[in-house]
Amino acid sequence: MSEHKTFYITTPIYYPSDKLHIGHSYTTVACDALARFKRMQGYDVMFLTGTDEHGQKIQDKAADAGVTPKEYVDKIVATVKDLWKLMDISYDRFIRTTDDYHMESCQKIFTKLYEQGDIYKGEYTGHYCKPCESFWTDSQLVDGKCPECGREVYDAHEEAYFFKTGKYADRLLKLYEENPQFIQPESRKNEMIAFIKQGLQDTCVSRTSVKWGIPVPFDPKHTMYVWVDALSNYISALGYGNEKYDEYSKFWPADLHMVGKEILRFHTILWPAMLMALDLPLPKRVFGHGWLLMNGGKMSKSVGNVVDPVILCDRYGVDAIRYFLLREIPFGNDGMFTNEALINRINSDLANDLGNLLSRTVAMCEKYFGGTVHKVAGTEAIDTELETMTSELLGKVTADMDNLTIPQALMEIFAVIQRANKYIDETAPWALAKDEANKERLESVLYHLCEALRVAGILLNAYLPSTAPKMMEQLGLDASAIDVEKAAYGAQESYTVHKGEALFPRIDVAKEIAHLKEEDEKRK
Ligand code: ME8
């Protein structure tokens, strides 16, 4: 057993049916920030992500490409791993549902549920939406179409195994009532309760027509229907039902399953019902965040209105994209992705507020003190607000991260940065520098600015992991300074700064928008 507190956080495992887009990056970057923050707090973190590789859609895509499904997913999975490397995603484990150990766990889970009567054989008649990999009943269709994506569904009749989800309806409702944090945001909880109350149907958990899936061990003409396979990843990745890992007892139950709102139902109904049937502890929290929208609609691979995160990161820098995703969209709601909003955020928050504060502070330390400033005894009234805000920052950011109000955490950090910029205007160091008698006061002002930057830099590390070390470097500190234990105001006695490159170059908005339009035209 570890002596540290543990924290287990998961992203959805994404379909490698195509390259991932910025919507997938959104979930993953949010989990990464949470995982990094918990690690900074001293938690023993398990951050799991991966790919959900079985099912009809991938079988079809591979056939179209003239390769085997495994060859098809291998290629895409390589791009997924490259993307997470590019975006500084600090996952601890990457699970592929085609990994042997995962398939072994799924087969054990399926067999156990069958043997104890929670899975039974029946006949499936209903409607199937291929892009969503979902079965729907008549009453669930909207205008005869898939209620998730609005596309055509087709009639499906086949022998199939079913999981007795319906049996768990009352226990699920009780779970939500007794654990108000289990489903978040709160508004989504009511949708789940309404879904259960309208009559919870058993879930079809196998197919005979899909060959690309994990065989049902006692009836191999069936393959497992993707959601049982997919959801089991959260425990198979820890070693439940396999010998590959031995971390189930250390990390389960998960502290947080982070998912997009469209798959919250699977995570808050089917998954806990499966775990109840298996007599296993339930995850502590499931958060269904909102969607990144493009031109009013959900950005999605199957609609084709996607933004490629690699292009964005190459053009604007990884931390700029991470910042935009985490800051711009109220966590839990939908938010529009527009180039204008991205460029404005980069310019106003990163280049102007943060970048300028650092470069102005470092330049003044060099100009007036040859680069080295010390803590000076005594503070003036004007220093107090900056000092108080900075001192309170760790507590506020911690609370925001616990509450999953991630954009607010960034707002708090940037409030300190903005306050520090205002402090420069108020204290006017260039005016103080004119009179030798003010030398000590000038040093004090610059020290306060360095302290605000240092504390902001420590906390920014969870969100902007390549910018925080650059900030420290310019403040003359090394990576060991990035430690929440040192986030107290006044903890650093002196600074010897080194001017470096601008953290975020300002973008010429008009030129950039014209360039993007041109690129768009070329692609058409
Ligand atoms: O659903 N905005 O995989 P998937 C925000 N394999 N987030 C988005 C998004 C958007 N426009 N588009 C995608 C699956 N996402 C299953 C999951 S889990 C056991 C199995 C993110 O490739 C969001 O997290 O369709 C969403 O839930 C997920 O990608 C869906 O990824």
Side-chain angles (χ1 to χ4, degrees):
M1 278 297 275
S2 156
E3 54 199 64
H4 296 289
K5 291 177 286 181
T6 59
F7 185 74
Y8 181 28
I9 179 168
T10 66
T11 71
I13 48 170
Y14 306 113
Y15 293 127
S17 48
D18 242 316
K19 282 190 183 168
L20 300 190
H21 58 72
I22 198 79
H24 301 102
S25 301
Y26 177 59
T27 318
T28 314
V29 165
C31 288
D32 184 64
L34 290 161
R36 285 176 183 272
F37 196 77
K38 286 287 177 189
R39 285 191 203 106
M40 288 212 288
Q41 289 181 300
Y43 282 77
D44 192 345
V45 172
M46 170 62 80
F47 170 17
L48 176 72
T49 189
T51 40
D52 182 2
E53 307 190 1
H54 294 119
Q56 181 78 48
K57 192 163 41 173
I58 284 168
Q59 186 177 305
D60 291 351
K61 282 261 184 181
D64 289 347
V67 294
T68 67
K70 184 66 167 62
E71 284 166 343
Y72 184 84
V73 291
D74 280 351
K75 238 183 167 164
I76 307 269
V77 170
T79 69
V80 173
K81 288 187 173 173
D82 285 348
L83 174 62
W84 297 154
K85 192 161 178 221
L86 171 70
M87 296 201 77
D88 269 331
I89 303 300
S90 63
Y91 63 79
D92 297 293
R93 189 155 296 161
F94 191 102
I95 186 167
R96 301 183 56 179
T97 56
T98 51
D99 288 338
D100 288 343
Y101 74 91
H102 169 76
M103 300 211 280
E104 182 191 341
S105 296
C106 285
Q107 290 192 323
K108 283 191 189 149
I109 289 169
F110 203 98
T111 305
K112 180 172 164 41
L113 294 175
Y114 177 68
E115 285 173 354
Q116 71 189 35
D118 274 298
I119 283 181
Y120 61 91
K121 196 189 252 185
E123 152 104 353
Y124 183 79
T125 52
H127 312 280
Y128 188 69
C129 174
K130 230 195 246 185
C132 297
E133 308 258 18
S134 293
F135 287 103
W136 303 104
T137 58
D138 279 338
S139 64
Q140 288 171 327
L141 298 183
V142 175
D143 299 331
K145 304 221 163 103
C146 172
E148 291 290 356
C149 70
R151 269 172 291 214
E152 294 294 338
V153 288
Y154 69 83
D155 291 343
H157 300 268
E158 60 180 53
E159 177 189 289
Y161 286 92
F162 288 82
F163 172 70
K164 287 187 180 166
T165 322
K167 176 176 151 187
Y168 294 93
D170 290 342
R171 278 181 69 186
L172 288 167
L173 291 172
K174 197 156 162 257
L175 164 73
Y176 307 160
E177 205 180 299
E178 288 173 358
N179 300 278
Q181 280 221 321
F182 181 73
I183 305 178
Q184 289 185 325
E186 183 73 24
S187 56
R188 304 250 150 81
K189 184 194 300 184
N190 301 329
E191 288 169 29
M192 298 305 127
I193 293 173
F195 186 86
I196 294 178
K197 287 196 167 158
Q198 82 187 6
L200 194 53
Q201 312 241 345
D202 290 348
T203 311
C204 177
V205 292
S206 82
R207 306 293 310 273
T208 51
S209 53
V210 181
K211 295 294 160 234
W212 179 237
I214 304 177
V216 171
F218 49 85
D219 192 354
K221 71 173 185 292
H222 287 261
T223 54
M224 291 179 205
Y225 162 56
V226 287
W227 280 99
V228 170
D229 169 1
L231 291 163
S232 302
N233 94 87
Y234 299 129
I235 51 177
S236 72
L238 299 177
Y240 179 86
N242 66 70
E243 301 280 302
K244 167 102 172 155
Y245 297 112
D246 185 19
E247 281 145 317
Y248 172 81
S249 55
K250 178 171 171 188
F251 286 111
W252 191 257
D255 293 274
L256 179 61
H257 289 315
M258 179 70 75
V259 299
K261 63 182 180 181
E262 81 290 353
I263 56 172
L264 192 64
R265 190 162 56 83
F266 296 103
H267 285 78
T268 56
I269 297 178
L270 179 57
W271 180 226
M274 279 171 62
L275 290 166
M276 285 171 185
L278 292 166
D279 205 16
L280 297 178
L282 306 178
K284 294 179 199 157
R285 224 168 169 193
V286 184
F287 190 94
H289 66 65
W291 290 337
L292 289 193
L293 306 176
M294 272 293 273
N295 306 324
K298 183 191 173 209
M299 193 188 294
S300 103
K301 282 179 282 202
S302 41
V303 177
N305 58 346
V306 297
V307 173
D308 184 345
V310 176
I311 296 178
L312 287 182
C313 290
D314 285 350
R315 187 148 186 93
Y316 302 108
V318 171
D319 277 4
I321 302 305
R322 288 176 61 111
Y323 179 76
F324 174 76
L325 292 174
L326 296 174
R327 172 64 186 84
E328 184 75 12
I329 296 121
F331 207 63
N333 296 345
D334 294 347
M336 277 295 277
F337 181 94
T338 68
N339 291 319
E340 286 80 354
L342 170 64
I343 296 164
N344 284 337
R345 275 278 165 222
I346 295 175
N347 277 348
S348 71
D349 299 8
L350 298 177
N352 281 4
D353 291 349
L354 176 60
N356 275 348
L357 177 65
L358 182 70
S359 66
R360 287 208 287 174
T361 302
V362 168
M364 290 191 291
C365 289
E366 287 190 339
K367 184 167 174 197
Y368 303 133
F369 292 93
T372 301
V373 295
H374 300 88
K375 189 192 265 184
V376 178
T379 42
E380 294 193 6
I382 198 171
D383 309 333
T384 315
E385 194 182 327
L386 179 61
E387 186 172 337
T388 309
M389 278 177 82
T390 312
S391 303
E392 289 171 351
L393 193 56
L394 174 62
K396 286 185 176 165
V397 172
T398 303
D400 283 326
M401 293 306 265
D402 287 343
N403 296 333
L404 302 178
T405 44
I406 301 176
Q408 271 82 339
L410 283 168
M411 276 157 77
E412 298 289 357
I413 300 173
F414 275 77
V416 167
I417 290 163
Q418 282 151 7
R419 186 67 193 84
N421 273 318
K422 193 166 148 224
Y423 177 84
I424 297 183
D425 299 339
E426 288 166 350
T427 54
W430 49 89
L432 290 172
K434 286 190 182 136
D435 188 343
E436 190 58 25
N438 294 327
K439 189 109 187 162
E440 198 168 283
R441 175 62 189 149
L442 178 59
E443 185 166 12
S444 174
V445 164
L446 294 180
Y447 171 81
H448 282 298
L449 289 168
C450 289
E451 273 300 86
L453 272 162
R454 183 182 65 82
V455 174
I458 293 173
L459 295 170
L460 276 176
N461 189 52
Y463 318 88
L464 310 181
S466 61
T467 302
K470 284 187 203 153
M471 290 172 66
M472 293 303 165
E473 208 179 308
Q474 295 204 30
L475 291 172
L477 304 171
D478 61 25
S480 69
I482 302 175
D483 179 348
V484 281
E485 304 248 316
K486 298 178 183 160
Y489 201 86
Q492 184 69 29
E493 292 298 319
S494 67
Y495 289 91
T496 299
V497 303
H498 306 285
K499 191 146 185 57
E501 281 183 12
L503 292 178
F504 296 94
R506 233 192 113 72
I507 299 168
D508 182 322
V509 184
K511 261 197 197 154
E512 186 65 14
I513 297 292
H515 163 83
L516 293 172
K517 282 207 175 111
E518 232 172 73
E519 293 287 301
D520 241 15
E521 287 304 317
K522 272 194 229 157
R523 270 195 288 272
K524 274 178 197 162

